[in-house]
Amino acid sequence: MFDFFKKSWYTMGTMIDEKRLKILVDGAKYDVSCSSSGSRRKNVAGGIGNAAFGGICHSFTRDGRCISLLKLLLSNDCVFDCKYCPNRRSADVPRASVTPEEVCELVIEFYKRNYIEGLFLSSAVMKNSDYTMELLIRTVKLLREEHRFNGYIHLKGIPYADPALEREAARYVDRMSYNVELPSESSLKLLAPQKSKESVFLPMGRLSEEKRELALEKKKQTGRCELKGTGRFLPAGQTTQMIVGASPEKDGQILRLSEAMYRKFDLKRVYFSSYIPVVNDPLLPTKQAGLLREHRLYQADWLMRFYGFESEEIVGTGENLSTEYDPKCAWALKNMHLFPVEINTASVETLLRVPGIGAKGAYKIVAARRHAALTFADLKKMRIVVKRARHFITCGGKFYGLEGTERVGLALSAAERTDNAVQLSLFESEERFLPEANSFLSLKTEETEKKFLLSSTAEIARSALLGEL
Ligand code: SF4
């Protein structure tokens, strides 16, 4: 990615020299408060595209569009000394800073060349918080007012900056984020001694309060009450980031904190960053936290945001999420007494809790059953993952799942393994399904329905192993 920067930078002849640009692009790569950060995949011969830790990252707009952002630090010269951070004061690394004018020039040149659609701007704390925040504001103000830049801007807030500065910044950018970094006050004290819970929660709270007040004012004027109706005040809301695995907190505690922040500050997203040991310090673990843990946290976060789960239903405060099953399957296995549920009568809230039925699927089921009673074949047409769902549902009173938590658990874990390897099952591809579904619909006897459900070779083999056949 930096080669791309270098080439573009040479052709543009910008004020920023290559050395500084490399340091500042590299320094921003550990911030994952945007969607594509954190992966590195090189292009291969004959292939197109690559993914890189830093440089250009991606984010998603409310309508689902993916946008490319230039991801950059204003400076990596920090007066704070967070133990886990390669830019901390005590680290022996090359330092660099750029001016607001230099950032603007780079953004505009890249934008004109269609390389980017926006900017993700962060910074280490230079001299003090207010000084840094003023420079960040100057940058975004210049972009908006002088260059009339209307692209997307995500700005990282600086802890302890004056509240008037954070409010001013929020008027120029689309999204702001204050990073929580660690899930507890005690870990912050130990690993990021200059930061505190308040240094992050207070600005988050003030910004969300201001957004709410603007929405109420708007409601008085227009009769509509929507947070998105607040004009240019943080239209894309706030996000935050937590490092997972640098401190001893369990997933339960991380999810409780995320849930509280979603409720209190109307956060759009909490990003989880699996800890990577880039710094040698006796207070830090020497092992990576692992991507599976990060993945499970994102799955659980999804359940809280879109499936109506409370964090305490998903995992106990002092526990980690299961590595074997995704959090929804793990919850269902603990609550087998609530299943099976009848597809044709269960509420949408109940359907959302069935493994294999996603949010879209649940609403499709509710809409479709108004017209006719649904069968397993209908579910497959709706792209419901029947191989999982069948253990938890009945369709017109028919049940074709396994019984007993242990057997269902084995089947689900086998399904997860095959999902992660090759898409083997009959229930994966609509094209494969349709001819069989049609022949099934023409016969429609109980025996053929069961045969249909088990007609994939892999499914039959699994069922035989589990003693079902
Ligand atoms: S404030 Fe902490 S995390 Fe941020 S750049 Fe400085 S040392 Fe790194």
Side-chain angles (χ1 to χ4, degrees):
M1 178 58 78
F2 191 72
D3 288 345
F4 161 77
F5 264 79
K6 217 159 79 178
K7 274 185 218 147
S8 317
W9 167 83
Y10 276 131
T11 58
M12 289 186 299
T14 58
M15 294 186 284
I16 304 182
D17 54 280
E18 183 190 335
K19 201 173 150 204
R20 279 188 300 152
L21 189 58
K22 188 171 187 337
I23 292 170
L24 296 171
V25 162
D26 207 50
K29 71 188 179 192
Y30 297 104
D31 204 314
V32 298
S33 312
C34 45
S35 304
S36 71
S37 307
S39 58
R40 185 199 290 278
R41 195 178 44 256
K42 281 194 173 162
N43 196 358
V44 290
I48 52 167
N50 62 22
F53 272 136
I56 290 186
C57 64
H58 299 93
S59 195
F60 292 93
T61 59
R62 205 175 346 199
D63 59 7
R65 212 163 44 89
C66 176
I67 52 174
S68 313
L69 308 175
L70 169 63
K71 189 173 177 186
L72 187 71
L73 291 181
L74 201 61
S75 171
N76 75 335
D77 197 358
C78 199
V79 293
F80 283 16
D81 205 34
C82 308
K83 302 264 182 263
Y84 47 82
C85 177
N87 298 326
R88 69 199 186 283
R89 189 185 58 217
S90 58
D92 182 18
V93 291
R95 304 288 176 177
S97 302
V98 281
T99 64
E101 289 74 15
E102 287 172 323
V103 175
C104 291
E105 188 194 31
L106 198 63
V107 170
I108 298 300
E109 290 299 328
F110 271 33
Y111 192 79
K112 281 184 187 162
R113 284 165 172 77
N114 220 7
Y115 298 153
I116 56 161
E117 289 166 278
L119 170 69
F120 180 104
L121 185 61
S122 181
S123 182
V125 186
M126 296 178 268
K127 293 186 187 170
N128 59 56
S129 299
D130 283 356
Y131 175 80
T132 313
M133 200 68 183
E134 276 164 11
L135 282 178
L136 289 170
I137 293 173
R138 182 166 157 67
T139 311
V140 294
K141 228 170 149 175
L142 271 176
L143 273 173
R144 293 285 194 227
E145 291 180 347
E146 277 201 16
H147 297 278
R148 307 188 63 76
F149 177 71
N150 270 320
Y152 179 90
I153 301 180
H154 180 156
L155 189 73
K156 192 67 41 187
I158 303 296
Y160 300 113
D162 191 289
L165 293 175
E166 83 210 6
R167 266 204 313 279
E168 191 179 359
R171 300 206 166 265
Y172 290 96
V173 302
D174 295 273
R175 170 166 284 178
M176 276 183 80
S177 47
Y178 283 85
N179 282 354
V180 170
E181 305 287 21
L182 298 164
S184 76
E185 179 89 63
S186 53
S187 293
L188 268 179
K189 267 197 189 125
L190 197 66
L191 300 178
Q194 282 96 349
K195 292 185 181 169
S196 68
K197 214 165 64 180
E198 289 72 31
S199 68
V200 176
F201 291 159
L202 287 179
M204 270 188 198
R206 284 191 291 260
L207 290 174
S208 75
E209 192 50 37
E210 175 119 10
K211 202 165 164 65
R212 267 191 216 129
E213 280 169 17
L214 285 170
L216 283 177
E217 240 171 69
K218 188 96 182 168
K219 188 190 173 191
K220 276 188 209 149
Q221 292 165 11
T222 63
R224 278 175 45 222
C225 182
E226 284 184 58
L227 286 183
K228 63 185 174 192
T230 51
R232 284 244 43 95
F233 194 87
L234 288 185
Q238 299 187 71
T239 59
T240 191
Q241 170 190 326
M242 249 188 280
I243 305 169
V244 175
S247 49
E249 293 81 11
K250 302 283 186 196
D251 294 344
Q253 194 171 345
I254 292 172
L255 287 178
R256 288 304 170 278
L257 179 58
S258 308
E259 182 177 57
M261 288 190 292
Y262 280 126
R263 286 192 182 148
K264 219 169 164 187
F265 307 127
D266 303 312
L267 289 196
K268 292 290 176 202
R269 283 297 295 271
V270 175
Y271 288 93
F272 304 106
S273 166
S274 151
Y275 169 71
I276 305 169
V278 286
V279 174
N280 276 333
D281 190 293
L283 292 174
L284 290 167
T286 48
K287 275 192 187 158
Q288 271 188 246
L291 288 179
L292 179 61
R293 186 169 177 202
E294 187 183 297
H295 177 59
R296 290 288 187 238
L297 281 166
Y298 277 121
Q299 288 178 318
D301 174 85
W302 203 257
L303 291 184
M304 294 194 298
R305 292 191 298 135
F306 300 109
Y307 288 76
F309 280 81
E310 308 263 329
S311 65
E312 59 192 23
E313 290 178 280
I314 302 171
V315 64
T317 310
E319 294 167 23
N320 276 333
L321 291 161
S322 158
T323 47
E324 198 172 351
Y325 310 108
D326 71 64
K328 195 173 178 189
C329 285
W331 176 85
L333 287 170
K334 271 193 222 149
N335 291 281
M336 285 303 275
H337 59 283
L338 302 176
F339 297 105
V341 295
E342 170 56 44
I343 280 291
N344 287 294
T345 53
S347 67
V348 71
E349 293 78 15
T350 306
L351 293 175
L352 283 169
R353 293 184 169 236
V354 175
I357 300 183
K360 266 193 193 167
Y363 290 102
K364 270 194 211 164
I365 289 171
V366 172
R369 74 189 184 191
R370 287 196 197 111
H371 306 289
L374 301 179
T375 64
F376 282 102
D378 296 326
L379 295 185
K380 179 56 199 151
K381 275 192 224 163
M382 291 176 200
R383 304 188 81 85
I384 303 299
V385 188
V386 180
K387 71 176 175 188
R388 279 171 198 243
R390 68 188 177 107
H391 308 295
F392 305 95
I393 55 172
T394 56
C395 255
K398 292 169 196 160
F399 176 72
Y400 292 131
L402 299 174
E403 280 180 36
T405 310
E406 206 176 313
R407 295 174 79 207
V408 175
L410 277 170
L412 290 177
S413 122
E416 174 144 339
R417 277 200 299 278
T418 53
D419 283 349
N420 290 338
V422 192
Q423 304 282 305
L424 277 178
S425 165
L426 162 73
F427 300 106
E428 300 303 328
S429 150
E430 194 152 6
E431 295 77 53
R432 283 173 57 198
F433 159 76
L434 280 175
E436 292 169 69
N438 290 339
S439 70
F440 158 70
L441 287 171
S442 62
L443 295 168
K444 224 176 182 186
T445 65
E446 203 161 303
E447 200 41 45
T448 49
E449 188 168 3
K450 184 160 188 176
K451 238 165 128 186
F452 166 72
L453 278 166
L454 300 173
S455 62
S456 145
T457 318
E459 195 77 3
I460 290 172
R462 259 202 312 273
S463 299
L465 273 175
L466 296 166
E468 185 195 27
L469 295 178

